[in-house]
Structures are given as C-alpha cells and as structure tokens.
Amino acid sequence: MTATETASATAPKKQWLTATVREVIDETPRVRSLVLDVPGWPGHRAGQHVDVRLTAPDGYQAQRSYSIASAPVENAITLTIEMLPDGEVSSYLAGEARVGDMFELRGPIGGYFVWTPDLDGPLFLVAGGSGVVPLMAILRERAIRKAPQPATLLFSSRSYEDIIYRAELDTLAGEGSGLRIFHTLTRGAPAGWTGQTRRIDAGMLSEIGFAPGRMPRIFVCGPTPLVESVARTLRDLGHSPKLIKTERFGPTGR
Amino acid sequence: MTGAPISRGFRGRGGGTNSRVPPGQHLVEDFPVLSAGPTPPVDLANWRLSLDDGDSPLAEWTWQQFLALPQTDLTVDIHCVTTWSKLDTHWKGVSIDTLLEAAGLTEPPQPYVLAHCDGGYTTNIPAEDLLDGKAMIAFEFEGEELDPEHGGPARLLVPHLYFWKSAKWVQKLQFVDPEIPGFWEENGYHIYGDPWREQRYDGD
C-alpha cells in the first residue's frame, strides 16, 4: 500500500459537469448501463469512479459514487448501475433515466484502485455482482490497448441471469486474448451449467488464480463480506497484501 | 448549486433535511466498510500503540497497558466522504488527551500528526483536532469490541472530519512539522476533510 504510486500535485477544484444520457443498455433485469456525453470530461484511468449528483425540480439534491465501466480511450463515459432496494439514486439511474436526461458528475476520483497497461505482472480480478464494473473498465482497457499481461477474472453472480456483461465477457475472453473467465453462481445454476456453484473459497482462488510467486496484481471488488473473505484468503495463500487492492460496497450485514 | 440541471423525473426521497447531516451526505443505518486492502490479522500479544515526536519515541503501550488507561465514552455522528452519514454512534476508547497526559506531555510537541496503521495506511490531522475530547483511540463500538473490518482492535476516531481520517488498525501517532499528507491525501483527497465544508477532494 504505497502512497507514492500516484502522487498528486495540488489540483484545481473538481468541477461538476453536466452529463447527458446518450444510450441506455439493459445488462440484467436489475442492472443498467448509461452511456453519457460529458463535455469537458478530463479523462480517467481504469478503476476510477465519479460522484453523481441529481437535482429534483424543488432543488433537492442527492449525491453518490459510481465506478466508471468504460475504458479511458472510449469516447464516452459509461456507468453501470445496480438497482438497490430503497436506493434513492440508483433507482433513478437504473430505472427512470432515459436518453436525453441530464444530471451532474465530477471526477475522476481515486488514484489507488487503478490499472494501466504499463503495470507488469499478470492480472487477477475477483468480482462479486456489480463489483465487476471497475474491473470491466480494466478488461476493456486491456483489450483495447492489446496489453500482453495474462488476465483472469473470477466472477461471482447470484444467478445466470444476473451475470453482468455476460456476452461481452465471452467475447473479450476469445481465442488468443490471454483472458480467462470463471463464473460461479451462488443461488442456483441453469441446466447444463458447467461453471462453479459455490461462494468463492480458498480452493477456487488457488486453482483459478495465479501462483503468488508470479506476483499477480490483484483487484477485488464486491460486497463487503465477499471482499473481506477473498482478501483474507488470498493473503493466507501467500499473496502480498501490497499487491491486493480492494473496493467494497453495500451493507456489512450486521 | 445554481444552474444545476434538473434531473427529469427525480424526486428524491423527500425525507426532509436533518440539520445534523452535512451537505451532500445521506443517512445509513448499517455500517459500510471501506478499506484499500485486506483487513490485517489481529495479534493482541504483539499489538503496540506508540507516540513519536518526529523520529523520536515518546511513549508506547501494550494492549494491556493501553486498556489500563482511563477510558472515555463518546456518542457522535460520523460522516464518510463516500456520502454516507451515521448518527449517534457509541464508542469507547482512550482520548488523545489521556494519551498525551500518560506520556507526560502537556501539549503536542509538533502541530501536525501523521497516523500510521497496520497495513501501511497513513492519514494526517492537525494536532489540535485531536485534543479537548474531540478524538480517541477507540476499541469498542456499540458496546462490543471493534470488528477487525471496522479497524479492530483499535482505531483512531476523529468524528468531526471525514471518516478516512479515523484511521483503522492504528499503531502510531507521529507528531510532525510540516504536515505530511497521508495515503488518501496523496491520492487526491482533501488535506483536511471537513464534512461541513464538503472538503472531499484536493482543491475543494
């Protein structure tokens, strides 16, 4: 956990920018992607997030953070939002928002949970549910930039229908891509499913991940219990805590 | 605020405004966890809390010695830069005033503090922000020992600043001058972090 990887000089105040919805993509029954036009966007690195601010007609405002799903070189910013029960902002973004609607965002934010193609070492990504979003930015960046590092994604979803980016992930992991993808479904699998059907555990992580001696760069993102368990297990398997970057969301369940 | 585009169809929850909630924050009932890396393993036998003046040690406590210091209860609201706030949280710990007194100090030897933690995390706070009962090393939350994922066995608690300043798994408070930016402060977050002035990021 060195603080020097992305030292920042004193920056100007991050401005709120107007984002206009260009396209709405239904990813799963509960998850949508919004492709946004954001004039003045300064660019980002894979893994960073933005703050979103909504303003109601009466002036009421609400603000939340969302990971960026698109690769830096794409000519738009894509946010992928999961509808949360009682989610004041997520229910708007993942439910109400249509093409042409506007809100504000500012960013990019976060200089730590980021990956660029000039980082050496294989890439091991572990996602739970919508935790795949910043990891998708990394995988898109890796593909577009034709980065040579081998990569593995271990992705835990509730059901087959809940797998976010399923088709695109299949495409990204095509022949010669150097990317391997393993799915596990924790709440039942369809007939003929050949992937895993249990929560991510030590056996899965050691079998699917790179050996600690290869010094993989590891990014873990998902609900807190998953991230806690996966990060602890990876450390127990011999991976250096300094190479394990985590991002958590959602309630702790306690 | 003026000129913000209206988000068509957004009504908000309409829950009214609470004067205890800083701008841009929303209330939560649960206790979200945010850390940059794995939760470090807890080993109370080797646990140490130390105060340093620059590179010179001032005082050090084992877990038993730390627990033997006078303890303080604190009921406070906490505010995370990721926009959640939590009201009336109950903590038990040892105030920084008590630590200074136990170290034989009447005032901080330097005007700034860099908190060092298990796992390498650091964060900076002006020393005066830790005094007069405003901050503690907390080891109990809501009457129970502090969970490792929330910084247990002990964390810094500086509730009047954004919660990244309340460093988890704290091991050392180093008094320094000039101020040294910590981990998130080096990564683009505000050097001070006052929730009421929305000092979220560098430049705010």
Side-chain angles (χ1 to χ4, degrees):
Chain A
M1 232 194 291
T2 58
T4 51
E5 266 181 40
T6 53
S8 70
T10 299
K13 182 175 171 65
K14 286 190 189 299
Q15 296 296 319
W16 287 103
L17 302 170
T18 299
T20 305
V21 179
R22 181 203 292 181
E23 191 184 349
V24 177
I25 303 164
D26 289 319
E27 305 281 3
T28 76
R30 300 186 309 118
V31 175
R32 291 201 331 189
S33 290
L34 301 180
V35 184
L36 306 171
D37 288 317
V38 189
W41 178 248
H44 69 281
R45 288 177 292 158
Q48 291 186 295
H49 61 275
V50 294
D51 281 357
V52 167
R53 184 163 76 182
L54 303 183
T55 303
D58 65 359
Y60 173 85
Q61 293 186 317
Q63 188 173 318
R64 298 288 187 281
S65 296
Y66 291 99
S67 292
I68 301 169
S70 44
V73 294
E74 295 179 64
N75 180 30
I77 297 174
T78 303
L79 304 181
T80 300
I81 298 114
E82 178 178 15
M83 176 105 65
L84 302 173
D86 277 344
E88 182 183 35
V89 174
S90 75
S91 62
Y92 177 81
L93 296 175
E96 173 70 26
R98 298 174 217 156
V99 170
D101 285 351
M102 289 185 286
F103 52 86
E104 290 174 292
L105 58 75
R106 65 175 189 159
I109 294 157
Y112 178 69
F113 193 87
V114 296
W115 181 84
T116 57
D118 58 354
L119 291 174
D120 56 6
L123 196 51
F124 186 32
L125 310 176
V126 184
S130 57
V132 75
V133 174
L135 307 182
M136 192 62 176
I138 292 174
L139 290 177
R140 286 169 166 162
E141 171 79 342
R142 179 184 171 277
I144 291 167
R145 301 277 295 273
K146 299 189 180 357
Q149 298 92 323
T152 297
L153 170 67
L154 174 56
F155 188 5
S156 176
S157 303
R158 290 198 277 200
S159 72
Y160 186 75
E161 291 72 30
D162 286 317
I163 299 176
I164 305 167
Y165 312 127
R166 192 176 60 224
E168 187 180 346
L169 286 171
D170 286 347
T171 305
L172 283 175
E175 183 133 358
S177 67
L179 169 65
R180 302 178 309 151
I181 295 177
F182 298 88
H183 291 286
T184 185
L185 303 178
T186 55
R187 293 192 192 171
W193 175 253
T194 55
Q196 303 285 357
T197 54
R198 63 187 202 272
R199 290 181 183 280
I200 296 173
D201 56 22
M204 217 184 278
L205 288 168
S206 59
E207 193 175 313
I208 289 169
F210 299 92
R214 295 186 64 188
M215 307 285 280
R217 292 182 185 269
I218 303 174
F219 293 80
V220 188
C221 186
T224 294
L226 177 144
V227 173
E228 279 294 315
S229 155
V230 167
R232 190 184 322 117
T233 306
L234 286 166
R235 201 190 54 218
D236 293 346
L237 288 171
H239 293 278
S240 164
K242 291 187 187 337
L243 294 175
I244 305 171
K245 299 192 177 188
T246 60
E247 202 154 85
R248 301 152 217 245
F249 60 82
T252 62
R254 66 176 289 277
Chain B
M1 293 291 187
T2 52
I6 304 299
S7 301
R8 182 207 56 79
F10 176 63
R11 296 280 176 274
R13 188 168 280 152
T17 54
N18 186 323
S19 62
R20 287 166 61 186
V21 182
Q25 299 290 111
H26 67 283
L27 290 178
V28 297
E29 293 297 325
D30 59 355
F31 192 177
V33 174
L34 294 158
S35 309
T39 297
V42 177
D43 180 3
L44 290 180
N46 292 326
W47 186 91
R48 296 288 185 279
L49 177 69
S50 59
L51 298 186
D52 284 13
D53 180 4
D55 295 326
S56 309
L58 291 169
E60 184 179 270
W61 296 272
T62 65
W63 184 247
Q64 296 307 328
Q65 290 166 336
F66 170 70
L67 287 186
L69 294 169
Q71 299 175 357
T72 306
D73 290 296
L74 202 54
T75 300
V76 287
D77 303 339
I78 57 178
H79 312 289
C80 178
V81 70
T82 62
T83 76
W84 59 263
S85 290
K86 193 169 171 60
L87 301 183
D88 293 323
T89 59
H90 301 93
W91 304 81
K92 186 190 286 292
V94 176
S95 75
I96 308 302
D97 306 299
T98 298
L99 287 180
L100 288 180
E101 195 181 322
L105 298 167
T106 53
E107 59 183 51
Q110 306 290 344
Y112 300 100
V113 170
L114 188 63
H116 297 261
C117 305
D118 197 350
Y121 179 81
T122 54
T123 191
N124 56 287
I125 309 109
E128 65 174 14
D129 281 81
L130 302 182
L131 305 180
D132 304 323
K134 290 198 289 287
M136 62 162 53
I137 306 292
F139 59 87
E140 263 188 35
F141 174 70
E142 302 299 348
E144 293 180 18
E145 65 181 45
L146 189 58
D147 268 1
E149 66 191 36
H150 288 305
R155 75 183 297 164
L156 184 60
L157 179 67
V158 195
H160 67 287
L161 299 179
Y162 280 126
F163 217 47
W164 88 77
K165 298 285 184 179
S166 294
K168 295 175 178 179
W169 316 301
V170 68
Q171 294 182 324
K172 180 165 72 180
L173 300 180
Q174 181 188 22
F175 292 95
V176 293
D177 188 19
E179 188 163 33
I180 300 172
F183 175 77
W184 289 121
E185 294 82 5
E186 278 285 328
N187 277 289
Y189 284 69
H190 198 273
I191 193 76
Y192 182 64
D194 181 349
W196 294 95
R197 289 188 277 166
E198 283 203 84
Q199 293 174 335
R200 299 176 190 275
Y201 311 116
D202 194 12
D204 279 354

